Amino acid sequence: MTITLGEFLSELTSNFPLAITVLLTLGTILVNGWTDAPNAIATCISTRSMKPQSAIIMAAIFNFFGALFMTMVNAKVAETIYNMVDFRGDAHEALIALCAALFAIVIWATTASWFGIPTSESHALIAGISGAAIALQGGISGINPHEWVKVIYGLALSMFLGFFSGWVTVKLIEVIFRRVDRRKTYNLFRYAQIVSAAGMAFMHGAQDGQKFMSVFMLGVFLARGQAYTTEFVIPIWLIALCSIVMALGTSIGGMRIIKSVGMEMVKFELYQGFSADLAGVFCLLVASIFGLPVSTTHTKTTAIIGVGAEERMSSVNWGVVKEMVRAWVLTFPGCGLISYILALIFINIF
């Protein structure tokens, strides 16, 4: 099932609930580009391969192309998110619950960003819609365990494969270039890191772009009174719209998070920054192919830790890591609970 751009614009001007849903969805996409996407360029800024403003513009562009290309080629991640929760039943109440979830995600993400904590917007999205679905259905029946388990697989993949890939990648580079004067490799790794950072931004768009597009489609169908839609096709105009909004969010900045991830957690040389980016791209590509909704924040951060740990464990600022892990652990219950409470309140009020 799909909706044309003409149909969407016609309904947007006459369907107030749809307008509110679209506004909130685009708000969460904007926040994602603002608070999550900066992780992709954190290392290339910390190693001074690129100036912050240039890196942000590059990330915005490649986020756009990543979301556009991967959704057209392989939309498995979007399908997983769409089928993860049950918003069937009364379409009006379901739409209110979804709006509550989106509002909760924005609250959670912007609060964390203010404190410079790189939370996972992917996990906030999953927690938000799960909490709202539980409130809507009056229990755990709002969750589809067969799809939700992919979140656990993705979490394990982003943590363990991210760390292992970072460790192995930097080790291989050190072995290959062990007899080469580092001064001679400066330009090589500087340009290589720019390319790998672009790849990270591309894969961020490919992963997170799909997640939010699926929620957008869910909101559109609920606003049209279609609560039982199980299959859908993401139209080109929606891919472009979500990609542009995410790119706009990235262009706003996110220097607090860049500072936490790329400058405070580990001090990198150029080849190490390249290794972390390359490992992150590999992990995100594997996850996207298999339809696993992974956290780009988790993946990039664990790759950075793996690269730093290869040199010596003490080179990693474990205090910063501990703060990030605490934020990640709190995201599922925290954002989920906020969404659950807001959904109950909104359903009773509206």
Side-chain angles (χ1 to χ4, degrees):
M1 195 168 186
T2 188
I3 178 173
T4 66
L5 178 58
E7 291 173 337
F8 172 74
L9 293 176
S10 176
E11 292 187 27
L12 190 63
T13 56
S14 59
N15 190 330
F16 182 71
L18 176 61
I20 295 297
T21 304
V22 168
L23 183 63
L24 284 171
T25 306
L26 293 180
T28 58
I29 296 172
L30 182 73
V31 170
N32 177 269
W34 167 28
T35 64
D36 207 355
N39 292 293
I41 54 175
T43 48
C44 77
I45 291 175
S46 70
T47 58
R48 295 181 172 82
S49 294
M50 296 185 73
K51 293 181 179 180
Q53 194 58 41
S54 298
I56 289 170
I57 293 172
M58 179 196 71
I61 294 171
F62 280 91
N63 261 294
F64 171 83
F65 285 113
L68 183 65
F69 177 78
M70 189 59 75
T71 307
M72 293 175 64
V73 173
N74 182 351
K76 287 184 178 180
V77 172
E79 292 172 5
T80 298
I81 295 294
Y82 190 91
N83 296 320
M84 185 177 293
V85 291
D86 183 5
F87 276 83
R88 291 177 295 179
D90 182 88
H92 177 70
E93 288 191 353
L95 184 62
I96 292 173
L98 180 62
C99 288
L102 296 171
F103 191 51
I105 294 165
V106 172
I107 291 173
W108 183 265
T110 51
T111 302
S113 175
W114 176 258
F115 290 101
I117 301 172
T119 59
S120 168
E121 301 310 310
S122 301
H123 291 169
L125 173 66
I126 293 166
I129 61 175
S130 297
I134 291 172
L136 176 67
Q137 303 298 344
I140 201 68
S141 62
I143 303 297
N144 181 352
H146 298 293
E147 293 294 329
W148 216 96
V149 73
K150 293 181 181 179
V151 177
I152 306 301
Y153 296 152
L155 180 62
L157 177 73
S158 63
M159 291 179 65
F160 295 107
L161 186 59
F163 180 91
F164 181 73
S165 298
W167 194 92
V168 169
T169 302
V170 74
K171 193 71 174 178
L172 285 173
I173 289 176
E174 288 178 347
V175 170
I176 293 171
F177 291 92
R178 67 183 183 278
R179 299 184 186 279
V180 181
D181 189 331
R182 288 193 180 182
R183 290 172 295 183
K184 296 181 179 179
T185 63
Y186 176 83
N187 284 332
L188 170 65
F189 284 115
R190 178 173 176 268
Y191 291 117
Q193 184 165 18
I194 293 173
V195 173
S196 62
M200 269 299 304
F202 181 92
M203 290 310 305
H204 174 271
Q207 263 282 330
D208 285 19
Q210 286 197 48
K211 298 184 185 90
F212 287 96
M213 288 174 204
S214 65
V215 174
F216 195 110
M217 291 295 291
L218 176 60
V220 168
F221 291 137
L222 290 175
R224 302 174 84 189
Q226 300 167 345
Y228 291 89
T229 302
T230 56
E231 295 182 359
F232 67 97
V233 176
I234 301 177
I236 296 296
W237 65 263
L238 177 57
I239 298 173
L241 174 62
C242 293
S243 301
I244 291 170
V245 173
M246 182 178 289
L248 177 62
T250 305
S251 68
I252 292 174
M255 282 305 298
R256 284 175 181 262
I257 292 173
I258 290 171
K259 187 172 182 290
S260 295
V261 174
M263 301 178 184
E264 295 179 352
M265 191 164 62
V266 184
K267 301 298 182 183
F268 273 159
E269 293 186 44
L270 281 169
Y271 78 94
Q272 293 172 315
F274 167 70
S275 300
D277 287 342
L278 190 62
V281 169
F282 169 72
C283 295
L284 291 174
L285 180 60
V286 171
S288 296
I289 290 173
F290 288 98
L292 299 178
V294 302
S295 163
T296 53
T297 307
H298 270 149
T299 305
K300 179 62 180 290
T301 305
T302 52
I304 288 174
I305 295 171
V307 170
E310 186 277 332
E311 183 177 4
R312 61 183 184 279
M313 295 299 286
S314 60
S315 67
V316 180
N317 186 337
W318 293 104
V320 175
V321 174
K322 191 180 297 183
E323 289 181 9
M324 293 180 183
V325 171
R326 187 182 299 118
W328 296 342
V329 171
L330 289 174
T331 295
F332 279 117
C335 189
L337 181 60
I338 293 172
S339 177
Y340 175 81
I341 294 172
L342 287 178
L344 289 178
I345 294 173
F346 285 10
I347 288 172
N348 286 322
I349 293 177
F350 302 105

